[in-house]
Amino acid sequence: MTNYLVEPAPHIKSKITTQKIMLHVIIALMPSVIASTYIYGLRALLMIVICSASCVLAELLFEKITKRPRTINDLSAVVTGVLLAFNLPPTLPFYMAIIGSIVAIVVVKQFFGGIGQNSANPAITARIVLMLSFSSYMTTWVQPFYYKMTADAVSAATPLASEEATELFDLFFAKSGCIGECCNAALLLGGLYLILTRIITPVVPIAYIGTVALLTWLTGGDTVSQILSGGLILGSFFMATDYATTPIRSSGKLIFAVGCGLLTFVIRNFGTMPEGVSYSILIMNILVPYIDKLTASHPFGAKKEAKKS
């Protein structure tokens, strides 16, 4: 008689690990790290290093104090630090960035059990906390290549890298904003890498960006400007695709992405905040358990329990 071993899922195991996934994400972020350093100077690179180091240190200290297993080797804290820095202005005081890093790792991630158990994206939540706490600093922007300019040039209204550059060129290659938003070309290159390596599926970024584009077109807005402005590209490829805070199934991911696009459009056009990507993703993060329940598959041959009278 043959003995069969019965174990809980998953029954098919992959060689891909959390560390390998995070390493791929870090590689995908490198073009934007290089671009932001070139556009905003060494201060942008220092901000990225400080946020990453603060996130790793916060995770290490918290796990040591609470006697939890060490998880800094999975590189998830590094990814959180880079993404947080990408959502900050290049001139933000460093101590505020450190506060944001602690909020992201300790409050949002570790208080809920660590990686995979947090219900909200740590970097996005930390950015919103900093926005509410230090709004003037978080909404102070500088021109691309400001470190090469005089004081008058830095405060000018048009963020052009050169007189010959067109507005579309600036939106695609060098625009004013947060550190990670400045070069959409670099973000798209990183996003394509994640798709080709199958770290993410194209469902979320296509549906998210497509929803914003469609609604903008239907209302007579500037579609290209809406896509390339703000943090839409950054959010759709690197933050709305977070494994822990997005739906499991493709149908759920589609609903999630369309919801993000709808909320982003509404906040941008009817809200008081200048940008809606972070708030949209956070709101949809909260709805993920309900989306997963709505799109849950049923085991083959399973029957619903009869209601008790």
Side-chain angles (χ1 to χ4, degrees), residues 20-33:
K20 290 180 180 179
I21 292 172
M22 295 302 163
L23 182 59
H24 279 299
V25 176
I26 292 172
I27 293 172
L29 290 168
M30 284 300 104
S32 295
V33 171

Side-chain angles (χ1 to χ4, degrees), residues 184-216:
N184 283 313
L187 290 171
L188 289 171
L189 181 63
L192 181 61
Y193 173 83
L194 291 179
I195 292 173
L196 292 177
T197 54
R198 298 186 178 182
I199 299 301
I200 66 172
T201 64
V203 173
V204 171
I206 290 176
Y208 191 171
I209 297 171
T211 300
V212 174
L214 178 61
L215 293 174
T216 302

Side-chain angles (χ1 to χ4, degrees), residues 222-245:
D222 188 339
T223 304
V224 175
S225 178
Q226 283 294 313
I227 292 174
L228 298 179
S229 297
L232 181 59
I233 302 296
L234 173 63
S236 61
F237 281 99
F238 292 97
M239 311 190 81
T241 54
D242 178 30
Y243 287 9
T245 58

Side-chain angles (χ1 to χ4, degrees), residues 15 112 208 216 232 254 272 287:
K15 294 181 180 180
F112 289 88
Y208 191 171
T216 302
L232 181 59
L254 180 61
T272 57
L287 298 177

Side-chain angles (χ1 to χ4, degrees), residues 9-308:
H11 303 294
I12 301 176
K13 298 183 179 180
S14 172
K15 294 181 180 180
I16 193 78
T17 62
T18 300
Q19 185 185 62
K20 290 180 180 179
I21 292 172
M22 295 302 163
L23 182 59
H24 279 299
V25 176
I26 292 172
I27 293 172
L29 290 168
M30 284 300 104
S32 295
V33 171
I34 295 170
S36 62
T37 302
Y38 174 65
I39 294 169
Y40 285 135
L42 290 177
R43 199 179 195 286
L45 180 60
L46 186 57
M47 181 74 77
I48 295 170
V49 172
I50 287 175
C51 286
S52 300
S54 298
C55 284
V56 172
L57 184 60
E59 183 158 294
L60 178 63
L61 291 177
F62 183 87
E63 290 174 343
K64 186 173 182 179
I65 292 171
T66 57
K67 298 181 180 180
R68 290 184 181 179
R70 304 290 185 267
T71 59
I72 59 172
N73 290 333
D74 64 18
L75 301 178
S76 61
V78 176
V79 171
T80 298
V82 176
L83 289 176
L84 174 59
F86 273 21
N87 281 274
L88 303 178
T91 56
L92 187 77
F94 291 132
Y95 78 90
M96 294 182 185
I98 295 173
I99 291 173
S101 300
I102 295 172
V103 170
I105 294 298
V106 177
V107 179
V108 185
K109 181 181 177 182
Q110 293 296 338
F111 277 6
F112 289 88
I115 186 172
Q117 300 184 58
N118 49 289
S119 58
N121 186 287
I124 284 180
T125 308
R127 183 200 181 182
I128 292 175
V129 169
L130 291 176
M131 180 75 76
L132 297 174
S133 304
F134 310 106
S135 56
S136 61
Y137 289 97
M138 287 290 292
T139 54
T140 299
W141 314 111
V142 292
Q143 296 261 8
F145 309 104
Y146 75 97
Y147 59 96
K148 298 180 180 180
M149 302 176 183
T150 63
D152 291 337
V154 172
S155 59
T158 306
L160 299 179
S162 65
E163 293 181 2
E164 295 79 14
T166 64
E167 183 180 356
L168 180 59
F169 180 90
D170 292 327
L171 287 172
F172 204 78
F173 290 100
K175 65 185 177 70
S176 180
C178 293
I179 291 173
E181 300 172 356
C182 63
C183 183
N184 283 313
L187 290 171
L188 289 171
L189 181 63
L192 181 61
Y193 173 83
L194 291 179
I195 292 173
L196 292 177
T197 54
R198 298 186 178 182
I199 299 301
I200 66 172
T201 64
V203 173
V204 171
I206 290 176
Y208 191 171
I209 297 171
T211 300
V212 174
L214 178 61
L215 293 174
T216 302
W217 177 74
L218 289 175
T219 55
D222 188 339
T223 304
V224 175
S225 178
Q226 283 294 313
I227 292 174
L228 298 179
S229 297
L232 181 59
I233 302 296
L234 173 63
S236 61
F237 281 99
F238 292 97
M239 311 190 81
T241 54
D242 178 30
Y243 287 9
T245 58
T246 52
I248 299 171
R249 296 165 187 84
S250 295
S251 56
K253 293 181 187 297
L254 180 61
I255 295 172
F256 176 86
V258 171
C260 286
L262 177 61
L263 288 171
T264 298
F265 174 81
V266 170
I267 294 173
R268 282 183 171 185
N269 290 274
F270 305 103
T272 57
M273 302 301 293
E275 172 66 306
V277 173
S278 295
Y279 292 95
S280 301
I281 295 175
L282 180 60
I283 292 171
M284 293 306 297
N285 284 164
I286 297 172
L287 298 177
V288 165
Y290 303 99
I291 297 174
D292 277 335
K293 185 176 181 180
L294 177 67
T295 58
S297 59
H298 300 285
F300 180 75
K303 295 181 179 180
K304 293 183 178 180
E305 292 184 6
K307 294 183 178 180
K308 297 180 179 180

